[in-house]
Amino acid sequence: MPELSTILAGAACAAIGSAFPAILFEKALREGKRAKVNMALGLASIFSSFVLLTAAQLAVYRFASEKFFAFGCAMVAFFLLIWAVEAIRAWKSANGGASGPEERKERK
């Protein structure tokens, strides 16, 4: 598959772009209301993620425009996959780790 390196580069950029917001998210998930995560730090992490991912897309468009579509699709797909996993973890945490109402009744 000749596009494998392009797809892997897109996945790596998505992982790097998601790292700082994900670290803050994990800290907030683990520590709950005691977490030392403030709004400014969260906004800075999201802004830095946006800038990094946009710069990566611009670089690929500028220097390897024939690989732009594959790179962009891979980057977006892996970015959304990372945040889908985080959203599922947050949902489970918010619901006490139970997957349904039957399990919550059994715990009580």
Side-chain angles (χ1 to χ4, degrees):
M1 179 186 266
E3 306 250 335
L4 184 62
S5 62
T6 305
I7 292 170
L8 290 176
C13 284
I16 293 168
S18 298
F20 190 45
I23 289 169
L24 290 176
F25 187 76
E26 287 294 324
K27 184 177 180 181
L29 244 160
R30 263 186 267 114
E31 297 176 13
K33 292 184 180 185
R34 300 171 313 194
K36 301 285 186 201
V37 178
N38 60 19
M39 184 68 74
L41 198 54
L43 287 173
S45 72
I46 291 171
F47 182 70
S48 66
S49 174
F50 172 76
V51 169
L52 183 123
L53 294 176
T54 303
Q57 285 181 329
L58 182 62
V60 171
Y61 181 75
R62 174 72 174 99
F63 297 111
S65 61
E66 68 279 355
K67 297 181 179 185
F68 180 71
F69 184 71
F71 176 84
C73 287
M75 188 176 74
V76 169
F78 279 92
F79 182 83
L80 292 176
L81 177 67
I82 290 167
W83 287 106
V85 169
E86 292 293 340
I88 291 168
R89 293 190 66 236
W91 184 83
K92 285 184 176 181
S93 176
N95 291 303
S99 61
E102 297 80 23
E103 288 184 22
R104 276 187 244 131
K105 286 180 185 175
E106 291 175 6
R107 288 186 191 185
K108 292 181 180 179

